[in-house]
Amino acid sequence: MLNKRLLKTFMSVSRYLSENLYIVFNEKINNYIISARFRWILFFKRELEYPIKKKPHPFPSIIQIQTINTCNASCKMCPYATNPPKETKRMSDELFEKIIKEIIKESKSTFIFLYLQNEPLMDNDIFKKIKLIKRLSEETISTGLFTNGSLFTDKKIKELISSGNNVLIVSLDAFTQKTFNKIRKGLNFNHIVANVNKIKNSKYSKTLAVEFTVQKDNIKEFKQFIRFWKKQHVPVVVNYISNRSGDLKDFDEMSIPLPNIPFFRRWGVKVYKKIIKCCPAVLSTFNILSNGDVILCCNDYSKKLILGNVNTSSIKEIWNGPKYQKIREMFYNGEYRKIPTCRYCYNWKNNFL
């Protein structure tokens, strides 16, 4: 009994300190490496608590919001290219504000990505939305964008700067135009690289990074890419091609053999699975589509599992509700193949996330 009390007290004190330290880091430190690592430690700590408490942190660590469901590209490794939405759907301003107000009320350490299965700059008001988040949260909520970078203009760069957005990640996936054209169809390599350099040399003082999704077509350029952007003092976010919950056609032709995926990465995930037994997506991340539907995973392009809708329920109700908790229990008991979204997940099966 005493041990349980001590553990509970320790966890409460630890949560208070880590949550408040996170807010200090976010507000005071403008350094991608430091803030990203501290964020990862905090979120990992929350996930570590799951095997002990058998329930998640009361509110998601990361919330991804799709403010519009369209994209201007046809990237090879994205199911959007072969299965775009039948009609454009823009999230209503009323619903967006409702979501943001709940996040601010429940958790100032939640990180908001205004991106989900789309190109966020297709929403002409994306930077106004970020400004709204900053104003309503009094600058305490951090925001991020993943973008293909093609829609930036001088005007949009000014909007980015004035918005206060914390993290901007531009997906490139190639070191040469030839490779880029194979992967990111419909976009202009030189134009996007020029946009990255414009932003780097502008008054944007927050985090700017570039992304490289490793796959068969670009693996030979991986080291060159890292070296080049390191010299430019631009951090690189490295991801590995995924079968997108089984939704990506021709995945086997694009994927790389497992030995090419760093051993330490697969080993780390293997240890994570052994201890926590749950995918971090079900313990940390909440995904909201433009119509308010909540999907379990950002990779679920065919919407195999809808957990609720934030038009009619709160984030907290859905996150702590029986549907979500049942999925966590199934994961913990090794029954992930019974979950429609997770059944064909290449990442979880092969020990890399």
Side-chain angles (χ1 to χ4, degrees), residues 198-209:
K198 275 185 183 179
I199 295 166
K200 183 171 87 74
N201 296 319
S202 73
K203 292 181 180 179
Y204 183 65
S205 60
K206 302 299 177 70
T207 298
L208 168 66

Side-chain angles (χ1 to χ4, degrees), residues 38-171:
F38 190 84
R39 187 183 307 125
W40 185 87
I41 290 167
L42 171 63
F43 295 168
F44 180 61
K45 173 190 163 294
R46 292 175 181 175
E47 291 158 15
L48 274 173
E49 293 174 354
Y50 181 78
I52 300 168
K53 301 188 298 182
K54 295 297 187 295
K55 62 180 182 179
H57 188 75
F59 203 75
S61 298
I62 300 168
I63 295 182
Q64 296 194 147
I65 304 172
Q66 181 191 73
T67 67
I68 193 167
N69 66 344
T70 56
C71 185
N72 63 329
S74 297
C75 299
K76 193 174 182 180
M77 67 289 191
C78 179
Y80 184 97
T82 54
N83 188 28
K86 292 176 182 177
E87 60 179 355
T88 300
K89 172 67 178 174
R90 183 183 181 277
M91 180 177 285
S92 71
D93 292 340
E94 292 77 19
L95 178 58
F96 183 79
E97 192 165 329
K98 173 183 183 284
I99 292 166
I100 300 308
K101 284 181 176 178
E102 183 185 355
I103 294 170
I104 292 166
K105 178 186 173 186
E106 297 292 344
S107 173
K108 288 183 179 177
S109 61
T110 292
F111 193 97
I112 301 175
F113 272 111
L114 293 177
Y115 156 86
L116 178 61
Q117 300 180 359
N118 71 337
E119 167 49 48
L121 269 70
M122 293 290 284
D123 180 352
N124 290 325
D125 294 330
I126 195 69
F127 294 114
K128 289 180 183 176
K129 288 180 167 72
I130 293 171
K131 270 189 169 181
L132 178 70
I133 294 170
K134 298 298 180 179
R135 180 172 61 81
L136 292 177
S137 72
E138 298 179 338
E139 304 285 338
T140 57
I141 296 286
S142 289
T143 60
L145 291 172
F146 270 88
T147 172
N148 61 42
S150 65
L151 298 177
F152 274 108
T153 60
D154 290 344
K155 181 185 175 186
K156 286 292 179 189
I157 292 173
K158 286 178 182 177
E159 289 179 9
L160 166 69
I161 294 165
S162 65
S163 71
N165 181 63
N166 299 88
V167 177
L168 177 70
I169 301 171
V170 180
S171 300

